[in-house]
């Protein structure tokens, strides 16, 4: 027996705004019943959807889990620039002169995630 991850849940201050950011990152649609206290992005099967829930407390420490993103149709550097334009901030730039490495970004609420090289770059 095993379990399937059905949802990745974010505690956040602004569910709709954070869902819209991640929707732009992934290209996934916002669930039609998303509202002020919670919002959901509908992932294509078999991926886990993303749920954003309003909580009163803010982020206080480094994430214990994070996403590693591989750009689907552009380079790592192009994707980093796109995500910054959407509202992400650079947390740590770990790119190396030989083209390897990654960039750690933070979403609008400070959740860290990594952008690695695309398949074509690897």
């Amino acid at each position: 027996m095993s379990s399937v991850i059905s949802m990745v849940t974010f505690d956040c201050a602004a569910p709709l705004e954070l869902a819209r950011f991640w929707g732009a990152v992934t290209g996934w649609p916002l669930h039609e019943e998303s509202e002020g206290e919670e919002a959901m992005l509908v992932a294509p099967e078999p991926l886990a959807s993303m749920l954003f829930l309003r909580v009163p407390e803010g982020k206080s420490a480094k994430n214990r889990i994070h996403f590693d993103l591989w750009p689907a149709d552009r380079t790592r550097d192009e994707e980093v620039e796109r995500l910054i334009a959407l509202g992400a901030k650079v947390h740590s730039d770990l790119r190396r002169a030989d083209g390897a490495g990654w960039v750690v970004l933070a979403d609008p609420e400070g959740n860290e995630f990594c952008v690695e090289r695309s398949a074509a770059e690897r």
Side-chain angles (χ1 to χ4, degrees), residues 10 21-22 25 59 62-63 65-69 71 75-95 102-116:
F10 287 73
F21 170 82
W22 281 102
V25 171
K59 183 176 179 293
K62 183 183 184 303
N63 298 6
I65 186 170
H66 69 266
F67 295 127
D68 287 346
L69 304 180
T75 68
R76 175 199 55 214
D77 297 346
E78 291 168 338
E79 183 67 350
V80 166
E81 292 306 314
R82 182 180 84 88
L83 298 177
I84 290 170
L86 291 173
K89 304 257 187 285
V90 175
H91 182 278
S92 305
D93 191 335
L94 302 169
R95 292 177 276 196
W102 60 93
V103 179
V104 181
L105 297 176
D107 73 15
E109 291 209 14
N111 301 299
E112 298 95 359
F113 61 98
C114 297
V115 182
E116 300 180 14

Side-chain angles (χ1 to χ4, degrees), residues 10-23:
F10 287 73
D11 289 346
C12 58
L16 283 171
E17 291 81 358
L18 198 56
R20 287 184 182 116
F21 170 82
W22 281 102

